[in-house]
Amino acid sequence: MDRQEAAGMVTLSVRHTADVPPADLDAAQALLQAAFAHLPPDEAFGPDDWEHALGGMHALLHDSGLLVAHAALVMRRMVHGGRALRCGYVEAVAVAPGRQRQGLGGRVMAALEAMAPAYDLLALGATDEGLGLYLSHGWLPWRGRLSALTPAGVVPTRDEEGYVLVLPGAASLDLDGELTCDWRDGDVW
């Protein structure tokens, strides 16, 4: 799937990882590293974070040929209310330094949010800096307990509570209930 929208010199495209040109993947990874460079090394954008962004859909916003914003949507499984839910999980959202607070993040998010009907819910782990953007788009904080289904069983992830947001889709959700994510290397949320 490749969807494009152009406004002057600004072009928004939505493509699967397999259809994103290697130069754009490299540019996206560099943009993400630059956007999160101000964080401590253990919170900066690393190889596991990039791995989490691959294998799904990418919203890429170019201005005069330069990548200025990126976001990805990947398939994950979440367990809630005794059901395994299809979750579109948002990853790797960033706007180039110097271009932030111009609505570009909102444009890449809107492109991914348009895919919500394909999932039971959309979810993401928010940073303090991104929280306002997501809330302005109608995302809701998960109020209940969070956990991860790990090789050792279900493990609480209390440090993430308050930072996981959802955009309800087809599934009925109890935002005060427990939400359990599938396992992956690096940050589970």
Side-chain angles (χ1 to χ4, degrees):
M1 174 184 164
D2 183 9
R3 189 177 76 219
Q4 292 195 333
E5 151 199 334
M9 300 300 284
V10 177
T11 303
L12 174 66
S13 63
V14 179
R15 297 180 176 172
H16 190 275
T17 300
D19 298 322
V20 177
D24 277 347
L25 289 175
D26 291 344
Q29 190 172 16
L31 181 149
L32 286 150
Q33 290 168 341
F36 292 100
H38 66 283
L39 296 174
D42 62 327
E43 295 177 30
F45 193 85
D48 284 335
D49 300 308
W50 180 241
E51 176 70 23
H52 297 164
L54 302 176
M57 301 302 291
H58 298 262
L60 304 145
L61 190 66
H62 290 87
D63 187 355
S64 301
L66 296 175
L67 185 67
V68 294
H70 173 273
L73 184 70
V74 298
M75 168 70 181
R76 294 189 69 185
R77 287 286 179 183
M78 300 285 162
V79 177
H80 174 65
R83 293 185 51 218
L85 303 176
R86 279 184 338 279
C87 177
Y89 200 80
V90 176
E91 295 282 0
V93 179
V95 175
R99 296 297 306 269
Q100 296 169 353
R101 307 287 182 244
Q102 298 175 12
L104 305 178
R107 289 184 64 187
V108 293
M109 284 301 298
L112 298 182
E113 292 160 355
M115 294 180 227
Y119 299 96
D120 292 320
L121 75 153
L122 298 184
L124 59 81
T127 62
D128 289 335
E129 294 166 326
L131 192 59
L133 167 66
Y134 307 129
L135 294 174
S136 75
H137 277 237
W139 289 74
L140 304 171
W142 193 268
R143 298 183 301 259
R145 291 286 178 204
L146 297 173
S147 57
L149 182 57
T150 74
V154 176
V155 174
T157 56
R158 290 188 177 93
D159 289 348
E160 302 300 327
E161 291 175 6
Y163 292 97
V164 171
L165 305 179
V166 298
L167 195 61
S172 175
L173 301 175
D174 172 8
L175 298 179
D176 295 309
E178 185 169 356
L179 185 65
T180 303
C181 66
D182 55 7
W183 176 250
R184 63 187 188 177
D185 291 332
D187 293 331
V188 294
W189 288 102

